[in-house]
Amino acid sequence: MRKGIQTEKQYSATCQRIEELLKVVNNETSEDDQNFIELDLLSDLVYEYEQLHHEVKQPTLAEVINLRMFEMGLTQEKLSKLLNISPSRVSEYLSGKSEPTLKKAREISKKLNIDANIVLGV
């Protein structure tokens, strides 16, 4: 008997099947339902394959700030006012040309609710 997903082709096909199952399985679906069981099993297989073959890297500070800006409906100008820094400094953070000071990193972490490890690059 074969164990798990072995190739990218199998991985892609399994992900496609999961997408199909997500259209029919919801929070009200019984755990005894055939589609629920299949989704659960395939999800476990995909998770195991991804752990071995798809390294998930920690997002950069710029990526997380961009996400928070989107989530909070902030422009670079509004963010600069929120953080009491110039718009050009925000631009430098977003482009990766500059990193915040420790004091500013704390403020970014608190005001944007970003994990301090990400802000500090730990």
Side-chain angles (χ1 to χ4, degrees), residues 41-63:
L41 291 170
L42 292 179
S43 296
D44 288 345
L45 291 173
V46 164
Y47 176 78
E48 290 170 9
Y49 184 82
E50 287 177 343
Q51 291 298 303
L52 293 172
H53 302 285
H54 292 253
E55 178 184 353
V56 177
K57 296 178 184 173
Q58 183 170 348
T60 66
L61 177 59
E63 291 169 336

Side-chain angles (χ1 to χ4, degrees), residues 4-47:
I5 298 171
Q6 304 294 314
T7 66
E8 280 294 316
K9 189 172 183 178
Q10 290 174 344
Y11 171 75
S12 293
T14 306
C15 288
Q16 185 176 0
R17 180 63 183 145
I18 287 174
E19 290 296 322
E20 293 168 359
L21 289 167
L22 286 171
K23 294 176 184 174
V24 296
V25 174
N26 58 42
N27 290 339
E28 285 77 45
T29 305
S30 167
E31 291 184 16
D32 295 329
D33 182 274
Q34 179 180 351
N35 291 320
F36 182 92
I37 294 168
E38 182 181 4
L39 177 61
D40 191 44
L41 291 170
L42 292 179
S43 296
D44 288 345
L45 291 173
V46 164
Y47 176 78

Side-chain angles (χ1 to χ4, degrees), residues 55-113:
E55 178 184 353
V56 177
K57 296 178 184 173
Q58 183 170 348
T60 66
L61 177 59
E63 291 169 336
V64 176
I65 290 176
N66 272 308
L67 176 62
R68 283 295 190 265
M69 287 174 60
F70 174 77
E71 292 172 343
M72 298 170 73
L74 297 173
T75 62
Q76 285 188 26
E77 186 175 330
K78 288 179 183 177
L79 181 60
S80 71
K81 289 178 184 175
L82 177 69
L83 298 175
N84 288 326
I85 56 177
S86 68
S88 62
R89 180 64 66 188
V90 170
S91 180
E92 289 175 3
Y93 293 165
L94 295 176
S95 68
K97 291 180 183 175
S98 175
E99 292 185 3
T101 63
L102 181 58
K103 182 179 178 181
K104 197 51 67 177
R106 282 190 201 117
E107 192 173 346
I108 290 170
S109 179
K110 288 178 184 176
K111 289 187 176 179
L112 298 181
N113 193 26

